Amino acid sequence: MDEETANKNEVFLTLFTANEAAIRAFVRRLVPTQQDTADVMQGIALVLWRKFHELDDHAGFRKWAFRVARYESLGWLRDKCRDRHVLSEDVIHLLAEESTRREAWLAAQREALDECLEKLPKQQRQLVLAAYSPEVEIQQVAQQSGRTVGAFYQWLHRTRLQLIECTRRTLQTEGPL
C-alpha cells in the first residue's frame, strides 16, 4: 500500500470514528430496533468506505455521511416493507429531515451529559454507567452498590435528575446553537 492510500485510509478512519456515534443515533431514530441499526450501520460503513474518494471536502464528512445513512436506512426499510411494523416512506423522510435538523442540538446535549457524568464522583459514575450497560441485570448493579433494587432505583432516579439539571445548566451556559 502506497503512502497516499495509507493517508486516505487514516483520514477516513479518523472521520468515521469521530462521527460514528452520531450516525448510529441518526439511524436508530429511523429503524425499529438496535439490531436493525447494527445491520444498517454495516452497510453505511461499506458505502462510506467505497465512496470516500468521491468526497472532496473532508469538513463535510458528517453531512455526507448522514445523507448516505438516510438513503441506506430508506433502502433497508424498503426491503423490509412487507413487515407491517415498518413506517411508510413519507414518515421516514420526515423523521430523517427532523433528525438531520436537530443533530447539532442532540450532539450538544450528548457533550453536556458527558461533561456532567465526568463531574460525578468516580464510584457514582461507574454505577450509573453500569446501570445503562447493554444486557445488564439491575439486581447485580444494585447489589454492587450495596442497596436493595428499590433503593437503587430511587438513587438512580435522583442521580438522573442531577444529571438532567447539570446538562440543562451546561447548555444554558454555552448558549443556543
Side-chain angles (χ1 to χ4, degrees):
M1 178 182 324
D2 65 7
E3 189 174 335
E4 183 180 342
T5 301
N7 287 340
K8 284 186 177 188
N9 292 346
E10 186 176 317
V11 169
F12 173 81
L13 287 173
T14 301
L15 291 169
F16 182 74
T17 55
N19 290 285
E20 182 181 11
I23 298 165
R24 184 175 297 279
F26 176 78
V27 171
R28 181 65 183 103
R29 292 188 293 268
L30 300 178
V31 300
T33 69
Q34 288 182 341
Q35 182 57 51
D36 297 336
T37 301
D39 294 345
V40 174
M41 282 298 295
Q42 288 179 2
I44 291 167
L46 286 173
V47 171
L48 293 175
W49 175 258
R50 288 178 183 147
K51 295 188 175 208
F52 185 64
H53 68 278
E54 296 174 13
L55 181 65
D56 296 327
D57 179 18
H58 293 162
F61 181 87
R62 178 177 253 178
K63 186 176 181 179
W64 174 68
F66 271 60
R67 196 168 45 252
V68 169
R70 179 181 185 165
Y71 288 116
E72 287 296 306
S73 297
L74 288 171
W76 184 90
L77 287 164
R78 198 173 4 251
D79 292 345
K80 299 291 181 183
C81 72
R82 290 180 298 273
D83 184 348
R84 61 187 167 101
H85 299 293
V86 176
L87 299 173
S88 74
E89 194 169 323
D90 291 341
V91 172
I92 298 300
H93 279 291
L94 287 172
L95 287 171
E97 288 170 18
E98 180 68 14
S99 292
T100 301
R101 191 175 62 74
R102 294 187 45 91
E103 178 52 34
W105 173 247
L106 294 171
Q109 283 181 319
R110 284 190 296 272
E111 288 176 24
L113 177 59
D114 285 344
E115 288 177 28
C116 292
L117 277 167
E118 287 298 317
K119 292 177 185 177
L120 291 176
K122 183 179 179 181
Q123 185 178 3
Q124 188 177 6
R125 181 175 56 250
Q126 288 174 335
L127 287 172
V128 168
L129 294 174
Y132 289 99
S133 295
E135 300 178 19
V136 71
E137 300 233 358
I138 205 71
Q139 295 84 355
Q140 292 175 335
V141 181
Q143 185 178 19
Q144 181 183 351
S145 75
R147 296 175 177 88
T148 66
V149 172
F152 182 76
Y153 274 122
Q154 289 176 353
W155 173 86
L156 190 58
H157 176 72
R158 288 190 300 273
T159 303
R160 280 194 306 251
L161 292 176
Q162 289 174 343
L163 289 169
I164 289 167
E165 181 58 28
C166 176
T167 301
R168 186 187 61 74
R169 282 193 314 269
T170 301
L171 290 170
Q172 283 179 340
T173 303
E174 292 175 0
L177 295 175

